[in-house]
Every structure is written in C-alpha cells, then in structure tokens.
Amino acid sequence: MGSRRWGALVAGGGMALVMIGLSTLLMIRDRTYVRQQVVSDAEQTAARFTNRYEAIIQATERLGEQWINRAGMTETEWIVEADATIRDVSGLLGLAWIDSRWTVRFAEPRSAWTGTNAVLDSMRIAHAARQRAGALGPWVTRRLSETGAESGIVVPLCYLTQCDGYIVGTFRADTLLETLVDDLPGDYRVQILDAQETNDFSLEPPQAAVPVGAPALAWTLVQTPSPTQLAALRSRLPLLVLSGGLLSALLLGVALWFAAVSDEHRAKAEANRTLMAESERRFRATFDSAFQYEWLLDTVGAVLETNHAALAMVPAESDPVAGVSLWSTVWFRGGERAGRLQAAV
C-alpha cells in the first residue's frame, strides 16, 4: 500500500511539472507576441515619422520649384511663401535661400541663420564632393547647426545647367517626434537615436529599434512600452494555467493519497473482520465441543450462550434460558449452589 502513496505523490508532482512546462511555453509565446506587437507599433510610428520627414522634403522642393518657375522671388514674396510653408508643414523649423556663392540672402526666421558660416562651408564641401561623384538633385545634411541638433534638406535651384543657389529646409528629430504624440498607437516612450547612440538601448523591457529618415541621417527610432502598455499587451493566461494547474496537481495528489490511505484502512478492517470471524469460529468449535457444562454470561450473570453439553440436560418443556440469570435456570434453581453463584456474580 505504501507504493500507492508514492504513486499519488508521483502523479501530483508529474502533473505539476506538466503544468509548469505548459505555462512556460505560454509565457514564451506571450513574450514573443508582446515583442512582435511592440515592433509592429514601432513600425507604425516610424512610418508616421517618415511621412512627416518626407513632407518636409516635398515642401522644400515645392518652394524650390516655385522659385525656378517664377525665375526668382522678391524678399517679400519669399517671406510670405516661407511663412505659409512653415505653418502648414509639421516639424519644418526654417527655410533659407542661399545664392550660388553660398551666402544666405533670404531666411525665415532670420535669427536661425546667424553665425552659420561653418555650416555653409560644410554644405559647400559636401556639394563639391557630390558634383565630383556626378550626384544630382536634393540631398540631406546632418548637423546643419553648430549644436548638431538640426538637419536639413538642400534643394539646388538649377535651370538646365545653370544653378542659381539652393533652398534649405531645416528640421529636428525631437520636433518631428513632438508632432506624433497624439498619433502613437499605445502608451510608449519614443526616442530618436543617432548612429553612435544606437548601441545604448536594450531589449529589456521589450523595445523596438526601427531605422527612420534618410541614410545620411542614420537615425534609429527606439520605442519602449510603459508598464501600463506592457500590462495591456501581456496575457494572463500563462499565470492562470500555472496557478490552476498547480492547484489541480495538488488536488490530484491529495485525492490519490487519501484513496490509498482509505484502501489501506479498508484492507486492514477486512483483515480484522476475517481474524474475528476465524477467532469466533474457533471459539464456537471449542465451546460447543466441550463435555462439561459451559455458559457465556453478561456482566450481571444473564445467560448469553450455552454449549451443547449443558443444553442436552435441559428438558424439552423447560422455559428458554437465554437472558435468564444463571442461578435461576434449571441447572441451579432451588439449590444451595444458586445462592453461592449469585453471590459470586
């Protein structure tokens, strides 16, 4: 029977291990889903960011096309068009017309283009390198300001082979992000990291790093869910399976244990009944086969059993002796022995 108790423990422990394994698989699946969802949401944010970035490029190019189509603009016309463009395009900070000698002629706002000779020199060097490589069309610059925070789109103003200068639109990554706050798909913290900062983020808690912007910018959007968003993404199923499974394993083990104990008690009771029956059979055989008179009395001397030898001496017409005090039966009634027997009992 002890083996059945061990079997109950093994069954309960085995079921607990199965439930732990199942809940672990569900947790792995849940973590995979959470990461996939974080990446999907980050890609949506990156797509919106890229759309804003491309809108700045397109707006700067449109202003350049207007310049070319009108064969130039007066400063008043320039300011009106630049103000309207900056107002209509989210994230566009400023615009400037730079002539072919790399001198800022018109700028809006003007204060953003003071002390930018070093920036213009870097633009000119970049443009010369592009010309030597045969590259045409607009290009994106990094670190347009001395602080390194701004970037810009440079649009050459060329009539066939004659270039009349450049239109430059400036923007900042953090400003573009601010325009996306209301469009985030969930409760996330979003960062734009530069190329040298990309190694600074981790994947715990789950994060997503998605490239954004032009290759020249080398930006990476890192999106990290808040604890509230993580709780919303994660499923409670693994915990429910684990707790329910462990409870079921405990109940199974206890049920099998008590079943084994009950069977042990039942087997012992059956063995005791068998022993009692055998003992009674032996007593009855000895009691009934004796040649002397024998009686089995209760605690007050009433007759419970009489053996065959004693019964053989009782006349057939005598009253029953069962339940009668022994000294009042036909064997002792009326004799001196009856009194002594009663006194003894």
Side-chain angles (χ1 to χ4, degrees):
M1 288 297 178
S3 61
R4 292 193 58 186
R5 295 189 185 187
W6 280 109
L9 294 177
V10 170
M15 185 174 180
L17 290 177
V18 170
M19 290 298 104
I20 291 174
L22 178 59
S23 63
T24 301
L25 292 176
L26 289 174
M27 288 178 183
I28 293 173
R29 175 180 174 274
D30 184 58
R31 283 197 296 269
T32 301
Y33 166 76
V34 169
R35 291 191 185 281
Q36 290 174 344
Q37 190 61 45
V38 170
V39 170
S40 175
D41 290 347
E43 288 173 346
Q44 294 182 41
T45 303
R48 294 186 178 99
F49 184 94
T50 302
N51 289 338
R52 300 292 173 89
Y53 163 74
E54 290 177 349
I56 291 175
I57 294 177
Q58 293 169 4
T60 307
E61 290 178 337
R62 280 197 303 272
L63 189 59
E65 291 173 358
Q66 292 178 11
W67 180 281
I68 294 173
N69 292 336
R70 298 182 189 180
M73 296 181 186
T74 65
E75 184 171 2
T76 302
E77 291 175 331
W78 161 264
I79 292 175
V80 170
E81 292 292 343
D83 279 340
T85 302
I86 294 171
R87 184 175 58 251
D88 294 340
V89 180
S90 297
L92 181 61
L93 299 180
L95 289 163
W97 170 56
I98 301 173
D99 64 19
S100 57
R101 293 188 297 273
W102 298 94
T103 301
V104 177
R105 293 301 182 87
F106 304 151
E108 184 62 24
R110 185 74 187 182
S111 58
W113 287 88
T114 56
T116 57
N117 291 334
V119 175
L120 294 179
D121 289 342
S122 65
M123 289 173 58
R124 183 174 65 253
I125 294 171
H127 180 53
R130 287 172 56 83
Q131 284 184 322
R132 287 194 299 270
L136 302 174
W139 76 91
V140 178
T141 64
R142 300 179 62 198
R143 294 181 175 84
L144 192 63
S145 70
E146 293 178 356
T147 63
E150 290 185 6
S151 298
I153 170 70
V154 182
V155 179
L157 303 176
C158 299
Y159 309 86
L160 298 177
T161 59
Q162 179 68 30
C163 291
D164 192 27
Y166 309 90
I167 297 291
V168 180
T170 61
F171 54 92
R172 294 168 57 104
D174 54 355
T175 305
L176 285 178
L177 276 181
E178 289 173 2
T179 66
L180 295 173
V181 172
D182 296 332
D183 295 334
L184 288 180
D187 187 8
Y188 288 97
R189 174 174 173 263
V190 183
Q191 302 169 269
I192 293 291
L193 300 181
D194 212 342
Q196 62 269 26
E197 301 173 308
T198 307
N199 295 326
D200 293 343
F201 71 90
S202 66
L203 294 179
E204 291 295 340
Q207 293 179 324
V210 183
V212 292
L217 296 174
W219 285 341
T220 300
L221 180 144
V222 178
Q223 190 155 300
T224 308
S226 69
T228 303
Q229 183 68 12
L230 267 183
L233 292 174
R234 285 174 175 160
S235 172
R236 289 182 293 178
L237 181 61
L239 181 59
L240 292 177
V241 169
L242 179 60
S243 57
L246 292 179
L247 179 60
S248 300
L250 176 62
L251 294 177
L252 176 64
V254 170
L256 292 177
W257 176 275
F258 278 109
V261 171
S262 177
D263 288 346
E264 289 179 14
H265 289 171
R266 190 161 44 248
K268 289 179 179 179
E270 185 65 27
N272 288 336
R273 282 194 296 270
T274 301
L275 290 175
M276 289 292 291
E278 178 63 18
S279 177
E280 183 178 359
R281 186 190 64 79
R282 292 179 179 178
F283 165 77
R284 181 65 61 184
T286 304
F287 184 71
D288 287 338
S289 63
F291 292 104
Q292 65 268 35
Y293 297 172
E294 293 184 358
W295 298 272
L296 182 64
L297 309 179
D298 65 10
T299 57
V300 294
V303 177
L304 297 176
E305 296 284 349
T306 305
N307 70 347
H308 293 321
L311 287 175
M313 300 303 296
V314 178
E317 65 276 8
S318 297
D319 295 332
V321 296
V324 179
S325 298
L326 182 59
W327 51 86
S328 299
T329 61
V330 295
W331 295 287
F332 298 99
R333 187 170 50 218
E336 182 182 350
R337 292 182 301 171
R340 292 200 307 272
L341 180 60
Q342 182 177 8
V345 172

